[in-house]
Structures are given as C-alpha cells and as structure tokens.
Amino acid sequence: LLAICGDDNPQNRVHWSESWTGEVTNLFRFYNLMTKILDDLRARFPGRSFCFTMDNLNVHTNPMVVNAILNDGHKFVFRAAYYAIDGVIEYTFNTQQTSLMVFYNKLEHLDDLANRSDQIINKIASFRP
C-alpha cells in the first residue's frame, strides 16, 4: 500500500507505505493504514484538510474508510475508471514499478523493498507545471 501527500512546500511532502507477502490488500489492512495516515495528518497539520484521490478499489470505497476521511474533515475523490497512461496515481505507480525493476535482483527482504521504495518516491518531482 502506498499513499503520498503532495504539497507545494517540499517540507510538507510525506508518504506512507506498507508491504507484506502472501496476501492481497483487504479492508482490514487498508483501514489500518488510513487511520495511521489520518492520525499523522492531524498531528503534522492541525486544522488543515486534505483531499484524498483514490481509484475505485472496493476497499477504498468502503463506508468505514469514507466515513473516517469525512469525520476528520477531509474530502475524497474517486478517479474515473483506470486508464494506464493518465493521472497522478498511474504516473506514480508506473514510476515506482519501473524503477524497482532496476533493483529486482538486489531486493532480498521486505525492508530492502521499503527502503528502495522510499528512495524512489522521494525523487519524484512535483506534479505542478
């Protein structure tokens, strides 16, 4: 799982991620990550609201997730149907995937994957023109 908070101020850019083996993303995992993100946003940016942009994966649209976002004073937007060459979500995941392929043979543990992912995300430039 990967979430990125973009901001014009580089000091306010932050991301969260979780990795595991053997299971798919389920509501329990996603909801736990979302509550960590919401707690972190509340602590880092008191009183500020954000807009979460997500695709239409069923765990993203679950009422528990949506209500957690709304109850913290944020908004959300579900993207249109997936289209591989359009949008920030696709750009970020495609950049992550192609960059990780360079290091595929050097990734032996989940910690290696998490560390390399952090490095890649931190190198992604601003999405502003």
Side-chain angles (χ1 to χ4, degrees):
L1 293 174
L2 171 64
I4 299 173
C5 176
D7 195 292
D8 288 339
N9 181 346
Q11 293 178 340
N12 290 342
R13 294 181 191 149
V14 63
H15 68 274
W16 304 264
S17 63
E18 288 190 10
S19 303
W20 62 89
T21 60
E23 296 179 18
V24 298
T25 301
N26 59 35
L27 178 59
F28 176 76
R29 286 189 187 279
F30 186 71
Y31 183 77
N32 283 338
L33 178 62
M34 283 302 299
T35 56
K36 289 178 189 175
I37 291 169
L38 292 169
D39 291 345
D40 195 28
L41 289 174
R42 200 177 312 111
R44 287 177 188 246
F45 309 102
R48 185 170 171 191
S49 65
F50 291 86
C51 183
F52 289 78
T53 304
M54 301 179 281
D55 62 21
N56 289 294
L57 185 66
N58 62 346
V59 297
H60 296 168
T61 61
N62 184 282
M64 281 180 31
V65 173
V66 170
N67 287 332
I69 292 169
L70 293 175
N71 289 339
D72 258 28
H74 306 292
K75 299 186 181 340
F76 62 89
V77 174
F78 294 117
R79 289 198 28 86
Y82 180 79
Y83 185 59
I85 60 170
D86 182 26
V88 174
I89 294 171
E90 290 77 14
Y91 172 78
T92 302
F93 282 115
N94 289 339
T95 299
Q96 184 81 345
Q97 181 180 14
T98 55
S99 298
L100 282 172
M101 291 303 293
V102 173
F103 304 102
Y104 180 76
N105 292 328
K106 299 176 184 174
L107 302 174
E108 296 181 13
H109 306 285
L110 282 179
D111 287 343
D112 298 335
L113 175 63
N115 291 335
R116 187 59 70 180
S117 292
D118 286 346
Q119 291 171 0
I120 294 165
I121 292 165
N122 289 329
K123 289 181 181 179
I124 294 177
S126 170
F127 294 108
R128 290 233 177 229

